[in-house]
Amino acid sequence: MALITAYWGLDGIIILMTLMITVYLYMTRKFKYWKKRGILEIAPTPFFGNFKECLFLRKAPAYFLKELYEETKEPYMGFYVLDKPFLLVRDRELVKNILVKDFSNFADRYTMADPNDRIGYANLFFMKNPTWKTIRTKLTPFFTSGKMKKMFDLMTVCVKNLDEYIDSLQLEGNGKTIEVRDLTARFTTDIIGSTAYGLDVNSFKNPNAEFRKYGKMIFDYDSVRSFELLSIFFLPTLVRLARVKMFGKEPTDFMRRVFWETLAQRTESGVKRNDLIDILIELKNNNNIQEHKDFTFDGDDLLAQAASFFSAGFETSSTTTAFALYELAMQPELQNILRKELLEALEKSNGKITYDMVWSLPYLDMVISETLRMYPPLGYLNRVAKETYKVPEFNLVIEKDTPVYISMLGLHYDPEYFPNPNKFDPERFNEENKRNRPACVYFPFGEGPHACIGNRFGLLQTKLALFKILSKCEVTTCKETMIPVQIDPRGAMTVPLNGVIYLNFRKTNINAI
């Protein structure tokens, strides 16, 4: 005799149906969370919420949030990732409250790495307060303008390697088709290898060097790696359960080995290079007393700072440079304006690229700013409410632990702030337009205390790459160029489809300018 009926088969069907109904009710129990509070919400789908296309890697999350932003003019709206309610904030004053004015209640990102993965969990991007504030304060000296000036000589060695590589391509005549993102990533990998690890990587002579190999693996958007990165940014509970490694197993092992070998050599030799290793040695030696139980100035916690600098430093700047070259190839008249500025600067300095020169070129700034508007490396920001928060001047209460997301792409493409937003137009960032633009509608490096600590460093890399490439080469579209550029739907960050942008490079005819 069966448990429920006279038939085991029928019992099985009843048990299965009961289980399915139970799971269904559990996964939909929070639906209408926002509607009950009088807040606009997008109708969710059972088991997926509003996140189905992202979960199946058919849409990049930054563009999913951008679409939500564009669906309404309301100052905020609710959506769901699986069964969890999330809040999307649109109003710029509310954005300012969360990122700046009331930062103390939104001081942590919702993004989470696995606490057992110390290289992911203990780096500056993922760590929580109050540890975050302490470590950021200690790392800030590495990113001052004074430090950048001291590191500039290290960077110019990498510029020289790029220069020699371009010459070796023999770009006279019709030139050659080049995969731009690989070119720019080699350059930024070399800079990170030198300034963070004290190593002469030279990816141009050895494209299969370990730094380049493992750097590519971190952002290799196969299905598994794509879902891991998606989980880190939107599904932190899954990250802990699945023990996801922020940088992947092989890159983690590589960075651990190289870091400790370099640290040991530097400590033994006493050599100073004005790089990140110097800063981390100082932190290791001068912070024996524990300020926080969840962080040590040794082991993988120390390595985490170099690891995050490696991964974020080369990928974001290389992609920004590649997108800038793509847009300038599409509009050669803008490229010529920039090239004229670069060549005039070189003429005044007798052909030498200097630190002060790089920061003094207005059109170069405008081109990079417009590139970052259209292609911010991470197209959204996220925070989590530390305590229940009554929003000033709005009929909105954000409950404790609610994830709050801000669509950077939504604001950057809002025609109220950037008319004809799909057009690449560096003039949006001339001095007059910048003065007239309201606050908290453009922030490619974030905003408030949590703004990217390495923004000056990232800009410097991009400026140097564009300076060297465009002072020597003319870039144009070719038959392999994807027009319009397609964004990879598997990417947690803004990257081109399949990670490639093809352009034609040919030697510049300076006399024709």
Side-chain angles (χ1 to χ4, degrees):
M1 188 173 185
L3 294 173
I4 303 172
T5 69
Y7 304 98
W8 283 107
L10 184 57
D11 276 9
I13 293 173
I14 292 173
I15 292 170
L16 180 60
M17 290 296 293
T18 301
L19 181 61
M20 291 176 63
I21 291 170
T22 301
V23 172
Y24 173 86
L25 291 174
Y26 179 81
M27 291 298 294
T28 59
R29 73 198 186 283
K30 295 180 182 178
F31 289 0
K32 298 187 179 179
Y33 173 91
W34 296 113
K35 188 175 182 180
K36 290 176 181 178
R37 288 160 174 76
I39 296 168
L40 174 69
E41 70 173 29
I42 304 299
T45 302
F47 305 106
F48 302 110
N50 304 112
F51 215 53
K52 182 177 180 180
E53 288 189 283
C54 295
L55 291 169
F56 284 90
L57 306 179
R58 293 198 293 258
K59 182 174 293 183
Y63 288 83
F64 160 73
L65 293 171
K66 177 177 180 284
E67 289 178 7
L68 290 187
Y69 179 98
E70 293 170 346
E71 282 190 23
T72 180
K73 295 296 183 182
E74 294 294 320
Y76 41 78
M77 67 186 303
F79 67 101
Y80 299 86
V81 175
L82 302 183
D83 64 323
K84 188 172 181 64
F86 282 55
L87 183 69
L88 178 72
V89 172
R90 295 182 74 263
D91 181 84
R92 61 185 179 82
E93 289 300 324
L94 182 48
V95 169
K96 184 188 296 184
N97 284 346
I98 290 169
L99 298 181
V100 184
K101 291 183 179 179
D102 296 315
F103 172 80
S104 60
N105 199 52
F106 296 93
D108 290 335
R109 294 184 173 99
Y110 181 65
T111 303
M112 172 76 77
D114 177 17
N116 294 295
D117 172 28
R118 298 304 301 179
I119 296 179
Y121 184 79
N123 77 61
L124 199 60
F125 188 84
F126 291 102
M127 68 176 57
K128 310 300 181 183
N129 269 294
T131 309
W132 168 83
K133 183 177 181 180
T134 300
I135 305 307
R136 182 177 172 109
T137 299
K138 292 181 180 297
L139 290 177
T140 296
F142 176 68
F143 296 99
T144 61
S145 58
K147 274 289 183 183
M148 293 297 102
K149 286 183 178 180
K150 290 180 179 179
M151 281 194 294
F152 191 75
D153 288 342
L154 300 177
M155 293 184 175
T156 55
V157 174
C158 301
V159 174
K160 182 174 181 291
N161 293 338
L162 171 61
D163 185 41
E164 292 175 352
Y165 178 73
I166 291 173
D167 285 342
S168 73
L169 295 175
Q170 298 179 346
L171 300 176
E172 292 80 6
N174 293 326
K176 292 181 180 179
T177 297
I178 292 177
E179 202 288 277
V180 181
R181 209 164 152 262
D182 177 64
L183 176 74
T184 59
R186 290 197 213 183
F187 175 70
T188 55
T189 298
D190 286 0
I191 285 186
I192 297 299
S194 177
T195 58
Y197 289 82
L199 300 174
D200 180 12
V201 177
N202 201 342
S203 301
F204 296 107
K205 286 188 176 178
N206 183 10
N208 296 315
E210 286 187 308
F211 260 85
R212 183 73 191 108
K213 172 185 174 183
Y214 291 111
K216 290 171 70 175
M217 288 177 68
I218 293 172
F219 295 99
D220 181 14
Y221 289 117
D222 61 21
S223 297
V224 174
R225 186 62 184 150
S226 296
F227 194 78
E228 286 180 344
L229 291 173
L230 183 73
S231 300
I232 286 168
F233 284 99
F234 289 90
L235 305 166
T237 302
L238 183 61
V239 171
R240 292 190 293 271
L241 292 174
R243 297 292 180 90
V244 172
K245 288 189 178 294
M246 172 60 201
F247 301 108
K249 184 181 184 307
E250 290 185 60
T252 295
D253 293 342
F254 162 72
M255 287 187 288
R256 184 180 287 120
R257 171 173 57 83
V258 171
F259 176 75
W260 289 112
E261 286 177 358
T262 304
L263 201 74
Q265 292 170 1
R266 191 73 63 82
T267 301
E268 183 178 346
S269 68
V271 172
K272 296 284 187 181
R273 292 183 83 252
N274 296 307
D275 58 11
L276 185 62
I277 294 292
D278 287 349
I279 294 284
L280 296 180
I281 289 174
E282 184 179 340
L283 287 179
K284 184 176 185 294
N285 294 337
N286 298 333
N287 288 280
N288 295 322
I289 299 175
Q290 289 299 300
E291 297 182 51
H292 300 284
K293 294 180 180 179
D294 59 345
F295 187 87
T296 61
F297 290 95
D298 205 346
D300 279 354
D301 286 12
L302 197 67
L303 165 60
Q305 314 320 311
S308 61
F309 189 62
F310 169 61
S311 60
F314 93 83
E315 172 70 14
T316 55
S317 295
S318 65
T319 304
T320 299
T321 307
F323 279 130
L325 291 170
Y326 168 82
E327 291 292 345
L328 291 171
M330 296 288 290
Q331 298 191 65
E333 68 280 7
L334 302 183
Q335 184 180 156
N336 287 333
I337 293 172
L338 177 55
R339 182 176 294 105
K340 185 172 184 293
E341 179 181 74
L342 302 180
L343 293 176
E344 287 177 352
L346 281 174
E347 186 178 357
K348 291 178 182 177
S349 66
N350 295 319
K352 184 179 180 181
I353 301 176
T354 67
Y355 180 85
D356 291 333
M357 172 208 294
V358 169
W359 292 107
S360 67
L361 303 173
Y363 202 74
L364 179 60
D365 285 340
M366 291 158 60
V367 165
I368 294 173
S369 295
E370 176 68 345
T371 303
L372 288 168
R373 179 191 70 83
M374 295 184 70
Y375 308 101
L378 188 63
Y380 50 87
L381 303 177
N382 66 78
R383 301 288 186 267
V384 62
K386 182 179 179 181
E387 301 291 343
T388 297
Y389 173 76
K390 171 64 176 73
V391 180
E393 301 181 16
F394 290 95
N395 185 27
L396 172 65
V397 174
I398 303 176
E399 292 190 329
K400 180 181 178 180
D401 296 329
T402 300
V404 179
Y405 277 68
I406 297 163
S407 175
M408 188 187 299
L409 275 176
L411 287 159
H412 285 193
Y413 279 78
D414 192 325
E416 179 180 352
Y417 312 122
F418 301 98
N420 195 7
N422 292 306
K423 179 183 179 182
F424 182 81
D425 181 9
E427 290 298 330
R428 299 181 200 276
F429 293 91
N430 63 36
E431 289 303 317
E432 181 181 359
N433 286 332
K434 285 195 294 186
R435 282 195 303 270
N436 294 333
R437 187 171 298 122
C440 286
V441 299
Y442 174 77
F443 38 82
F445 294 103
E447 187 64 84
H450 245 310
C452 176
I453 191 174
N455 63 341
R456 181 182 291 270
F457 184 92
L459 286 171
L460 185 55
Q461 288 188 99
T462 302
K463 285 171 179 280
L464 285 172
L466 289 175
F467 204 121
K468 177 51 62 179
I469 291 170
L470 293 176
S471 64
K472 293 180 73 80
C473 304
E474 177 184 353
V475 294
T476 57
T477 58
C478 56
K479 62 180 181 180
E480 292 88 354
T481 306
M482 187 182 297
I483 303 175
V485 67
Q486 300 291 311
I487 301 300
D488 197 326
R490 301 166 298 173
M493 303 179 72
T494 305
V495 292
L497 184 62
N498 298 321
V500 296
I501 295 178
Y502 289 101
L503 295 174
N504 188 75
F505 280 53
R506 65 184 177 196
K507 189 174 181 181
T508 302
N509 181 3
I510 297 177
N511 295 326
I513 297 175

